[in-house]
């Protein structure tokens, strides 16, 4: 496949869906864009923003990692010291885990094979 597209925001991470037919692109402002990978083209599907309800990060903050747990859910790490369990079907935040505050480094979270333990620096 050969195709390209422009994105207005700075890209901070990219991850393929487990099926391989879609990609998730995280940006510097907390937005995650989902694109379908078709035969010869890449087509925009939907997007959502990882953000806090109130406070300085209510507009979103840099997405540093998107790690898929299964076909439907992913662990998303952002620079507001949060690790979120997100449904990739609709962008719904299922759980949020808060850790040590980090606004500069690109920390990423991982999940074990049984999806019971989240590990992050």
């Amino acid at each position: 496949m050969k195709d390209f597209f422009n994105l207005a925001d700075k890209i901070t991470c990219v991850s393929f869906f487990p099926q391989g037919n879609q990609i998730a692109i995280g940006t510097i402002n907390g937005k995650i864009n989902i694109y379908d990978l078709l035969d010869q083209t890449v087509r925009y599907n939907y997007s959502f923003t990882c953000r806090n309800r109130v406070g300085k990060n209510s507009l979103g903050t840099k997405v540093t990692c998107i790690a898929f747990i299964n076909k439907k859910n992913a662990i998303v790490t952002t620079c507001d010291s949060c690790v979120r369990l997100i449904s990739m079907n609709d962008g719904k935040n299922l759980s949020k885990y808060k850790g040590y505050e980090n606004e500069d480094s690109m920390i990423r979270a991982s999940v074990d094979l049984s999806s019971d333990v989240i590990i992050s620096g």
Side-chain angles (χ1 to χ4, degrees):
M1 175 192 325
K2 293 181 184 179
D3 198 7
F4 68 93
F5 57 93
N6 291 326
L7 205 62
D9 301 321
K10 289 183 182 178
I11 296 172
T12 56
C13 67
V14 177
S15 184
F16 283 92
F17 274 65
Q19 304 92 319
N21 61 347
Q22 292 177 306
I23 56 172
I25 299 175
T27 65
I28 197 156
N29 62 1
K31 194 172 188 179
I32 296 179
N33 298 309
I34 308 299
Y35 290 87
D36 293 327
L37 302 175
L38 305 173
D39 290 333
Q40 294 295 318
T41 60
V42 177
R43 187 181 69 205
Y44 173 80
N45 193 344
Y46 63 95
S47 65
F48 57 92
T49 304
C50 292
R51 62 186 186 91
N52 295 332
R53 293 178 196 228
V54 294
K56 68 178 184 176
N57 295 317
S58 61
L59 297 177
T61 185
K62 180 174 27 176
V63 177
T64 58
C65 180
I66 303 169
F68 284 89
I69 297 174
N70 53 39
K71 294 179 180 180
K72 298 178 185 177
N73 301 326
I75 295 289
V76 177
T77 312
T78 55
C79 271
D80 61 354
S81 72
C82 291
V83 176
R84 294 170 173 86
L85 175 61
I86 295 192
S87 168
M88 296 306 273
N89 291 335
D90 55 7
K92 185 177 178 185
N93 190 9
L94 304 174
S95 294
K96 182 170 132 180
Y97 309 96
K98 189 129 173 84
Y100 176 74
E101 187 167 339
N102 175 31
E103 295 181 3
D104 297 325
S105 299
M106 299 275 286
I107 302 290
R108 51 186 295 155
S110 315
V111 66
D112 71 334
L113 294 176
S114 65
S115 301
D116 291 336
V117 178
I118 298 172
I119 302 165
S120 181

